[in-house]
Amino acid sequence: LEFRRVLFRSMLRRPVGQPMHKILVVDDDAALRGVIGFALQTEGYEVLEAEDGAVAIEVACERLPDLILCDIRMKEMDGYLALANLRRHVATASVPFILMTGQADSEGMRKGMELGADDYLAKPFTIPQLVAAVEARLKKQQTVREQAERKLADLRANISLALPHELLTPLNGILGFAELLISDPTESPAEISSMAECIRDSALRLHRVIENFTVFVQLELRQGVIAETRTGLELGPTVARVAGEQARRFGRQDDLILDLQGGQASILEEYFAKIVGELMDNAFKFSESGTAVRVELFSRAGQVGLRISDAGRGMKTEHVSQVGAYMQFERRLYEQQGSGLGLTIAKRLTELHGGSLTLASTVGQGTVVEVRLPARAVATAA
């Protein structure tokens, strides 16, 4: 009779057609585990049970619950160890995890949060407190999932709009000039040389689009794993070299202003050159010839800073906050060259090396991008 009451109440609480959330309850106290399970079933949740951390890992990996409620102190495997193990499994790494404890001290809470716990529930707790904690975590998880889906949808839409254009434009240039050379081989040497340069420039642009796409995918797959270097890179020479190359590429050597004070950071030169190259490309691309592009390198408060300023058209405030892969703004108003990946790649590489990238822009006045990396002390001879 009691089972029927629980089932009936859960059916009333859950809209028809809505799947039940699966909650895994982990506690070595069978009586408490039963009370928690009964309360959650009454609210319309499907309940899974485990008597210790080891069993919880097996159940979680097999059944993939939507949320885990886990006691900390258990005889076989405690909640901390179970949490650490589940966070290492790809399938369970993002499952919301609430630790239950009768000793909610600050040290224990900090340890749980460092391991990846989402919330704490101090014993003893009431049924309303239990239900509120579960609902809050599930709601937050749903919000995160919806945000991720929106970002993925935006990325797909932007790729479908931007990438074909970025691939076809240089490819059309290559095919067009190649066709001219084939159809009229009697062109003068000067004209042939000019066409060959156009083919080369188009090929380089196509190569850069493909390279950036490949780098972006690699950064996404690495999820925070980056090659490390034990030696410090002197950043000044790399900035001068890459900035000079970009200025020559755009024919704007006279617009480049360098103010390099030096500094070292623990980063491979190829990564730092990529950051500088992408930021310089944007600075020249979105500003007019004859306007200054200023590049500053400085050391301050344990950090090395790179600041690139241009006097271009700038960006609206709402566009600055939306910068991302394959994001292009107001393309109908401007013939914008580029897929929008450059700034995203520079930002990801900076963050993977413990730094930060900030962008400030004003429409009609220009843009300032600043990269900060942890400084590496220069070794001195004894």
Side-chain angles (χ1 to χ4, degrees), residues 83-99:
L83 171 59
N85 276 276
L86 288 170
R87 286 294 180 253
R88 286 196 290 266
H89 283 77
V90 175
T92 58
S94 61
V95 176
F97 200 105
I98 299 178
L99 284 168

Side-chain angles (χ1 to χ4, degrees), residues 219-252:
L219 290 176
E220 288 294 292
L221 293 177
R222 285 178 181 179
Q223 293 293 320
V225 179
I226 199 76
E228 296 182 355
T229 174
R230 295 181 180 275
T231 60
L233 173 68
E234 185 64 46
L235 304 183
T238 302
V239 174
R241 175 179 62 81
V242 177
E245 290 172 353
Q246 292 289 352
R248 286 190 293 274
R249 186 166 70 88
F250 284 89
R252 297 180 58 181

Side-chain angles (χ1 to χ4, degrees), residues 170 174 197-211 249:
I174 294 171
E197 288 180 2
C198 291
I199 291 175
R200 180 202 60 194
D201 292 343
S202 294
L204 288 173
R205 178 179 169 186
L206 182 60
H207 177 269
R208 185 168 179 270
V209 171
I210 297 172
E211 179 186 64
R249 186 166 70 88

Side-chain angles (χ1 to χ4, degrees), residues 21-27 33 36-37 40 45-71 82 86 92 95-98 100 130 134 138:
H21 287 292
K22 287 183 290 188
I23 312 296
L24 173 58
V25 180
V26 189
D27 201 305
R33 199 167 65 239
I36 294 174
L40 293 175
Y45 296 110
E46 178 184 350
V47 177
L48 310 173
E49 294 187 18
E51 61 270 22
D52 59 51
V55 177
I57 293 171
E58 294 179 6
V59 174
C61 292
E62 180 181 349
R63 301 292 302 278
L64 298 178
D66 298 294
L67 183 142
I68 300 173
L69 280 163
C70 185
D71 188 29
L86 288 170
T92 58
V95 176
F97 200 105
I98 299 178
M100 302 182 293
L130 168 68
V134 169
L138 290 174

